[in-house]
Amino acid sequence: QSALTQPASVSGSPGQSITVSCTGTSSDVGSYDLVSWYQQHPGKAPKLMIYEVSKRPSGVSTRFSGSKSGNTASLTISGLQAEDEADYYCCSYASSSTFPVVFGGGTKLTVL
Amino acid sequence: QVQLVQSGAELKRPGASVRVSCKASGYTFTSYYLHWVRQAPGQGPEWMGWINPNTGDTTYAQKFHGRVTLTRVPSISTAYMELTWLTSDDTAVYYCTRDADPGGIYVRFDPWGQGTLVTVSS
C-alpha cells in the first residue's frame, strides 16, 4: 500500500499549538479535497476530526483545524489539552485503481 | 443515533476463513457507502474495500483482491466482510465505517463500528 507519510511523533505543552503533516502525491492528496483526519485513543475506534481538508464535524472542538498545500495536508491543534494525547491519522481518496483510499502511517501526539 | 455494531472476536487457524458482520441502525442503510478498514497491532489503519449497500457494488484494495468479499442484506441493515486463506499477517482489528455523506465516496468515515479482533494462530 502507498501510505501517506506522517511524522512518527510530535509533542507540545498544554496551551501550545502543534501541526501534523501528511504528505501524499499528485494522485491522492494533491488531486482531491477529500482528505480527512482521525483521532484514536488506545483501544478505541478512530474518531473523525476533519473532513474535506478543513471542515469540522459537529461536536469537534474549534481547536482542531485542517489545511492543504500541494501534495501535503496538515492538521493543527491549538491550545493543547491533555486529552488531545492520541494517535492521529490522515486519509485521502486516490485515483489509484489498486488503492483508491489511503491512510497515513499515523502520528503519536504527546502532551508534555 | 447512527450506530454500527460488529460481531465478536474470532480465533482462526491459518488457512481458514472469517466473516465479520456490521449491523447499522439510526439511518437509511441503503443510502450510505460502507467501508471496511483493518488495523494490525501497533500499525495504522489499512483500507480494504467499500460496498454500495443499495446496489451491492463493491471495490476492493488490490492487495486483498480474491481473498475478501463484501456483501450486505438490506432487509436487516447488515453488511458482511469475509476474508479467506487467513495467515498470521491477517491478525488485526477489523472495522466497518460509514461514509458520512450519502450516495458517494467522500472519505468521511463516521461513525465506526467498535471493531472486531481477528486472531490467526495455529
Side-chain angles (χ1 to χ4, degrees), chain B residues 13-76:
Chain B
R13 302 295 188 201
S17 300
V18 68
R19 190 176 83 153
V20 179
S21 67
C22 171
K23 182 168 178 61
S25 61
Y27 72 97
T28 302
F29 177 72
T30 52
S31 294
Y32 298 80
Y33 280 72
L34 278 174
H35 299 252
W36 289 85
V37 176
R38 77 177 186 179
Q39 190 169 26
Q43 303 296 313
E46 181 175 39
W47 181 82
M48 300 179 69
W50 71 56
I51 183 168
N52 179 333
N54 185 39
T55 64
D57 290 342
T58 55
T59 295
Y60 302 119
Q62 187 176 65
K63 172 179 179 177
F64 301 102
H65 229 287
R67 285 210 302 139
V68 67
T69 304
L70 303 184
T71 56
R72 93 286 184 229
V73 179
S75 62
I76 56 171

